[in-house]
Amino acid sequence: MVIFDGINMSMLRKALSELTVRALAAHPIGTLMQPLRSRCVPVFMLHRIADPRHGVRGHPLALIERALSYLTHHGYTGISIHELAQALIDKRPLPPRAVAFTLDDGFQEQAELALPLFERYRIPVTLFMATDMLDKQSWSWDYQLEFIVTRTLLSHVNIRLAARSFAAALDDEGHKRQFIRTLRSHLKSQPIESTHQALDQLAFTLGVRVPASAPIGYQPMTWAQARALESDCIQFGPHTCRHLILTQMGEDDARREISQSWQRLQDELRHPVPIFCYPTGRPDLDFGAREKQMVRKAGMIAALSSEPGYIDIGRHRRNDIFALRRFSFTDNISHFIQYCSWIERAKELTFQRIKPRL
């Protein structure tokens, strides 16, 4: 074995990066610098959990456990999104090393693999559910897109969808994943009807039959599972009914997506949290002033976006409580530690100071 070949050099750099970050986050440097992060709370956003049994790609469960173990052994405090939102409303402080977690959508492997892990570590997590997934075994357009492209036997495609032409190699998993990302990005900006027409056309062209109900690998959890899992550590909130982008809908349809998903959680669960999670969650693209007003009128006390950044408990006016920010959970433990400690906050503050000069 050549120790300095490309693969091993990459592994070496990763190991050195983790050692460096751990050293900076640990005592005494971490203790000295922690005030930079003391009033800022990172909220981590997770989606699919890797489940080799059913071919599900996602966050490796072992990595999530490493992250939770790190928090437990280094003095961090897990808080729920509900607790965080209430602290913002009441303008009261939180523990100096507070961290929060969310899961989006409501898939089977999230219930079977991730939620019990959070319960075991006693670190709160809130799962935001697209309720039609549970009620009707439906599945959203973006996962149907993934299903179509990953299941095709074609090695290349040349197609025009939603007023744009696409040509892509589909001869390996990497090319397929790139095509999925490109198409998903384009279709997010299209009206719902155009998106569904594009999926029908894509499925026909690629020779893939799309099941009406979610197949294995895309199946949702059940209401019975949610009721069994609900606790002071595991909570549930609304994420629309059909996981559609609200800005691409008429006012009445968007309002129904918000209010009916909240009603379904109240019907099925003991203590759902009155906090909404916007599908896709990009400010001014996937939601705006209209949607925030609808969420407020539906009885929510807060809502979550997907815009990255800390929630600054010390400066309440900087937080839009109906567009709270979240970091994507990273599949790199060094990056996770960086966000939890003072390091990422120091980078953020440095950039804010030099940005006006650029």
Side-chain angles (χ1 to χ4, degrees):
M1 181 180 70
V2 180
I3 194 166
F4 293 114
D5 65 19
I7 295 176
N8 287 309
M9 282 300 292
S10 175
M11 292 174 63
L12 180 61
R13 283 193 296 269
K14 187 175 180 180
L16 288 173
S17 173
E18 182 174 338
L19 286 171
T20 301
V21 169
R22 283 182 178 271
L24 290 172
H27 182 78
I29 300 174
T31 303
L32 180 66
M33 302 299 291
Q34 188 59 30
L36 282 176
R37 198 326 232 137
S38 60
R39 68 187 187 193
C40 295
V41 180
V43 178
F44 290 101
M45 168 179 59
L46 298 90
H47 285 88
R48 302 303 304 267
I49 310 300
D51 186 357
R53 300 171 303 172
H54 303 307
V56 178
R57 292 167 55 94
H59 306 294
L61 194 65
L63 181 65
I64 299 173
E65 181 159 18
R66 283 187 71 190
L68 300 184
S69 177
Y70 177 84
L71 297 178
T72 300
H73 290 96
H74 289 83
Y76 289 88
T77 301
I79 62 169
S80 70
I81 283 294
H82 197 188
E83 183 180 357
L84 173 58
Q86 203 62 58
L88 288 170
I89 293 167
D90 297 341
K91 298 182 179 179
R92 58 179 172 81
L94 286 167
R97 288 191 166 197
V99 178
F101 288 90
T102 64
L103 274 162
D104 290 5
D105 299 335
F107 285 101
Q108 185 73 42
E109 88 280 349
Q110 293 174 328
E112 291 182 351
L113 302 177
L115 295 185
L117 186 63
F118 279 92
E119 181 72 67
R120 177 152 60 87
Y121 277 89
R122 299 301 299 159
I123 293 179
V125 62
T126 303
L127 194 157
F128 290 93
M129 308 168 83
T131 54
D132 271 12
M133 287 176 57
L134 285 73
D135 286 335
K136 303 177 182 178
Q137 290 286 304
S138 65
W139 51 322
S140 63
W141 69 266
D142 47 338
Y143 289 111
Q144 292 184 35
L145 167 62
E146 179 183 85
F147 179 88
I148 294 167
V149 176
T150 56
R151 296 307 192 277
T152 187
L153 298 178
L154 299 185
S155 60
H156 187 273
V157 65
N158 196 323
I159 191 171
R160 186 170 179 80
L161 297 171
R164 179 177 165 186
S165 296
F166 299 89
L170 302 174
D171 52 349
D172 61 32
E173 186 176 358
H175 286 140
K176 287 183 176 181
R177 290 291 163 188
Q178 180 58 49
F179 185 49
I180 290 167
R181 286 192 292 270
T182 301
L183 269 183
R184 183 179 284 149
S185 177
H186 175 60
L187 293 177
K188 281 179 181 179
S189 64
Q190 303 301 310
I192 300 301
E193 296 77 11
S194 296
T195 297
H196 288 154
Q197 290 171 6
L199 289 180
D200 290 343
Q201 184 182 349
L202 181 67
F204 177 79
T205 301
L206 296 187
V208 176
R209 187 184 70 83
V210 180
S213 298
I216 291 175
Y218 296 91
Q219 290 178 334
M221 64 189 300
T222 66
W223 287 116
Q225 283 178 309
R227 285 189 288 272
L229 287 163
E230 190 179 24
S231 68
D232 60 339
C233 191
I234 297 174
Q235 300 177 329
F236 297 91
H239 192 35
T240 72
C241 297
R242 295 176 289 169
H243 200 268
L244 299 175
I245 295 175
L246 295 170
T247 52
Q248 302 300 328
M249 307 176 72
E251 186 169 338
D252 290 343
D253 286 341
R255 186 180 294 108
R256 275 194 295 270
E257 286 287 323
I258 295 166
S259 61
Q260 289 183 10
S261 64
W262 173 229
Q263 185 61 55
R264 288 298 296 128
L265 264 76
Q266 293 179 91
D267 292 342
E268 296 287 348
L269 302 176
R270 296 184 301 275
H271 303 293
V273 295
I275 297 171
F276 188 77
C277 181
Y278 303 104
T280 309
R282 300 168 300 171
D284 301 321
L285 293 173
D286 305 320
F287 72 94
R290 183 190 75 164
E291 288 71 31
K292 288 192 281 188
Q293 182 68 9
M294 289 177 180
V295 167
R296 184 183 291 108
K297 287 185 175 180
M300 305 295 109
I301 64 169
L304 301 174
S305 75
S306 62
E307 183 179 20
Y310 291 98
I311 297 174
D312 192 339
I313 293 294
R315 298 184 179 180
H316 295 83
R317 292 183 181 179
R318 289 193 174 186
N319 301 298
D320 182 346
I321 199 163
F322 286 96
L324 295 175
R325 295 182 292 176
R326 298 184 289 173
F327 290 111
S328 292
F329 182 80
T330 170
D331 288 342
N332 182 312
I333 193 66
S334 299
H335 293 166
F336 176 77
I337 295 170
Q338 187 169 309
Y339 286 119
C340 290
S341 68
W342 61 273
I343 302 170
E344 186 65 24
R345 180 59 175 164
K347 288 172 58 180
E348 187 179 82
L349 291 172
T350 301
F351 180 74
Q352 288 173 2
R353 288 172 181 170
I354 66 173
K355 187 177 179 180
R357 305 175 193 171
L358 297 179

